[in-house]
Amino acid sequence: MVTAADPEETRTSVWLTARPAAPARRRSEAPSGLDRERITAATVRLLDAEGLGRFSMRRLAAELGVTAMSLYWYVDTKHDLLELALDRALGELALPAAPEPKPEAQPEAPPVPGPEAVPGTVPAAWPGRLRVLACGYRKLLVAHPWVAPLTAAYPNIGPHARAFDAALQRLLDATGLAEARRTGAHLAVSYFLHGCGGAARRLPERDFRLALDVLIAGVAGQAAL
């Protein structure tokens, strides 16, 4: 099983490695019907069905009806494939659009704890947007329990992970926090979301929402200083 304590082996993230194109002759020998997209999608399905502890390239190959060696035409290692699956899962998260800039002369009032936004609507104020983003991330972790340990094990710098981080940064930019305080707020929200990962299935929904309201109120309080 891959864990955050696996660093005996030095490796470079799949997102930082340019894979050289195979010669034309070798490309013609590759299994037909396979590509990285299909392999990654099958990896997500298998991880959902059997969990991270039982995942192997042999099990994945059996799921796809190919030999295990066939998979290495498209990825160099199992770690690369798990990184790809992690980012694909993060791509399921709906991210809020960039909010309208807030005039400095009209600071936003501190948030009032309340229910999640009605499905299909997008809250205009940053507290509602942050609440929707956090609740969506929690649902993602519940749907894919293997995402939390992989987030701890790998750099998590794929395109969807970076889009999530950028969306969070845009929300914090809209809070009115002084620039010097935004880094701390970013860390606080990130640690809250990732820290809830291991407890996502056990933590009651009302406790998660209460903790989230406390976090949002803290950010709003800092913005008012």
Side-chain angles (χ1 to χ4, degrees), residues 2-220:
V2 177
T3 69
D6 259 359
E8 311 129 8
E9 141 185 21
T10 301
R11 60 178 295 275
T12 302
S13 168
V14 68
W15 302 110
L16 300 177
T17 304
R19 210 163 186 266
R25 183 185 63 80
R26 292 187 60 202
R27 283 200 301 271
S28 67
E29 296 168 4
S32 62
L34 273 188
D35 55 36
R36 260 195 177 188
E37 183 68 18
R38 184 183 170 203
I39 293 170
T40 304
T43 300
V44 171
R45 290 196 303 271
L46 194 59
L47 288 168
D48 286 344
E50 300 188 357
L52 184 57
R54 297 189 63 194
F55 179 80
S56 70
M57 298 298 267
R58 288 184 182 279
R59 284 180 178 274
L60 177 61
E63 175 79 9
L64 289 166
V66 299
T67 65
M69 289 306 297
S70 301
L71 302 176
Y72 292 102
W73 284 93
Y74 306 96
V75 291
D76 291 331
T77 68
K78 181 176 81 170
H79 293 284
D80 289 354
L81 188 51
L82 291 174
E83 276 197 86
L84 293 170
L86 171 61
D87 199 66
R88 183 185 177 91
L90 291 174
E92 297 174 11
L93 187 61
L95 301 178
E100 293 296 325
K102 184 180 65 174
E104 291 185 12
Q106 300 176 8
E108 211 166 90
V112 177
E116 188 178 351
V118 176
T121 65
V122 180
W126 72 263
R129 288 173 176 268
L130 181 53
R131 189 174 285 110
V132 169
L133 183 66
C135 290
Y137 190 77
R138 171 180 162 83
K139 288 176 182 176
L140 179 76
L141 295 178
V142 172
H144 305 295
W146 47 272
V147 164
L150 289 189
T151 298
Y154 295 125
N156 201 18
I157 54 175
H160 290 118
R162 286 185 279 112
F164 175 82
D165 194 64
L168 176 56
Q169 188 60 56
R170 287 195 302 269
L171 285 171
L172 293 174
D173 289 345
T175 61
L177 278 168
E179 188 173 353
R181 297 178 186 270
R182 272 181 232 157
T183 299
H186 194 288
L187 284 173
V189 175
S190 296
Y191 285 153
F192 172 80
L193 294 177
H194 298 315
C196 286
R201 286 177 174 270
R202 301 188 301 273
L203 188 66
E205 184 72 12
R206 65 180 181 278
D207 291 344
F208 172 81
R209 289 179 180 276
L210 174 60
L212 179 57
D213 285 337
V214 170
L215 175 67
I216 291 174
V219 173

